[in-house]
Amino acid sequence: MIIKTSGIVVSGQAISERDKLITILTEKEGLIRAFAKGVKSFKGFNSLASSLFCYSDFVFYKGRNSYNLSEACAIKFFFDLRNNLEKLSLAEYFCELIISLCVQPQEAKEILRLVLNSLHFLSKETIPRPILKSVFEIKILSASGYLPNLLNCKKCLTNCEDEFYLVIKEGSLYCKKCFCKSKNPCVKLSRGALFALRYVISSPLKKAFHFSISEESKRKFCRACEEYTINCIEKKIHTLTFYKQVCKI
Ligand SMILES: [Zn+2]
């Protein structure tokens, strides 16, 4: 069967001098692994189109157990990412989250748009990097079945306190009165941090990256997003460790 779809390359591995195994987040089929045979000698083949972070139109032959790439035409390549180790390592972290979370073979239009927007902002440096990272984290988790419950206190249902605690393992909020310390680990959220989380989750993509927040609330917002991500992924995220080493954070 022939499949035509656009997608972005999130991982690539050489399996011989001419052949590669690439992982692509595609619009129609979700995350797929495809053999790209004879990449360098393929007539008319745009070899850039199958390289990491390239958004391309692809044609695959879908066999019983594998996909084979037959054509690729580059639409957009984020060149700026390769010139800066901080940008590159954050882009690789985004790719690791995609590979860990997009496990269902289903349409991935929304997540694909999230990745393309995020890589564009990362490349052009138009959004502060900690905000960009956090928005990507909470948006991809929400779209992958890990939507935290941020409406009100899980126990007494209040939503008008100044301080809440996000219990990371549950993805639930507790007010000061109901929060039990044994429920750790948690992140204490200010009103501003909670507002930002709710705003990002409920906003369409074109608005989700744009909001103002105080420095203190930003720290709590970013910490909540990162800790919730680590909890949901349930394994060591090597690219996150590397990104933090590179940025010394
Ligand atoms: Zn409560």
Side-chain angles (χ1 to χ4, degrees):
M1 185 163 68
I2 292 174
I3 309 273
K4 292 182 181 181
T5 181
S6 62
I8 187 158
V9 180
V10 292
S11 163
Q13 181 194 347
I15 46 177
S16 73
E17 209 168 283
R18 296 172 60 228
D19 306 334
K20 280 200 295 191
L21 179 63
I22 53 178
T23 306
I24 309 164
L25 180 70
T26 65
E27 187 181 333
K28 292 184 184 164
E29 303 267 302
L31 192 71
I32 63 168
R33 284 180 178 79
F35 291 101
K37 291 178 182 164
V39 166
K40 285 172 187 161
S41 61
F42 198 96
K43 201 177 173 189
F45 192 93
N46 181 349
S47 71
L48 177 72
S50 62
S51 61
L52 188 61
F53 309 133
C54 193
Y55 174 56
S56 308
D57 275 329
F58 294 103
V59 180
F60 302 101
Y61 285 112
K62 187 178 180 182
R64 196 187 288 177
N65 299 313
S66 66
Y67 289 85
N68 286 292
L69 181 61
S70 67
E71 283 176 44
C73 178
I75 302 170
K76 185 165 175 59
F77 187 79
F78 301 93
F79 286 103
D80 299 339
L81 300 179
R82 306 235 171 197
N83 306 325
N84 177 307
L85 192 55
E86 289 186 19
K87 289 186 191 179
L88 182 66
S89 57
L90 187 54
E92 285 181 336
Y93 170 55
F94 291 166
C95 290
E96 186 169 358
L97 291 187
I98 293 164
I99 292 168
S100 303
L101 290 166
C102 301
V103 288
Q104 300 298 333
Q106 62 190 19
E107 196 192 90
K109 207 172 183 175
E110 194 187 334
I111 296 179
L112 188 60
R113 276 187 55 224
L114 170 66
V115 184
L116 293 172
N117 274 270
S118 303
L119 293 183
H120 173 76
F121 292 138
L122 180 60
S123 170
K124 299 294 172 207
E125 301 186 62
T126 42
I127 304 284
R129 227 170 279 160
I131 295 287
L132 177 62
K133 171 176 170 288
S134 301
V135 172
F136 185 87
E137 288 169 335
I138 205 70
K139 277 293 202 193
I140 193 170
L141 288 170
S142 303
S144 308
Y146 294 98
L147 182 68
N149 180 7
L150 302 176
L151 283 180
N152 41 34
C153 170
K154 192 178 176 185
K155 209 166 166 193
C156 74
L157 306 182
T158 184
N159 63 4
C160 54
E161 295 285 330
D162 275 343
E163 263 178 29
F164 277 97
Y165 293 83
L166 175 66
V167 173
I168 297 297
K169 271 198 167 23
E170 296 178 16
S172 308
L173 283 185
Y174 288 84
C175 73
K176 216 172 178 178
K177 258 188 291 172
C178 301
F179 174 68
C180 160
K181 283 211 162 51
S182 64
K183 282 189 184 292
N184 278 329
C186 71
V187 177
K188 193 171 160 184
L189 293 174
S190 59
R191 192 181 275 263
L194 182 56
F195 178 84
L197 280 167
R198 286 173 174 160
Y199 173 83
V200 171
I201 287 172
S202 61
S203 294
L205 205 51
K206 63 179 177 185
K207 289 188 175 172
F209 292 92
H210 308 281
F211 57 93
S212 54
I213 187 167
S214 72
E215 268 306 307
E216 202 201 327
S217 288
K218 186 174 90 179
R219 273 196 296 278
K220 289 176 173 158
F221 164 74
C222 292
R223 200 180 138 217
C225 292
E226 186 176 291
E227 293 203 7
Y228 187 57
T229 305
I230 292 169
N231 176 71
C232 293
I233 299 293
E234 292 181 323
K235 64 178 170 100
K236 191 160 172 53
I237 311 172
H238 296 285
T239 50
L240 175 61
T241 310
F242 185 67
Y243 171 67
K244 292 175 83 159
Q245 279 169 1
V246 168
C247 300
K248 299 184 176 66
I249 46 177

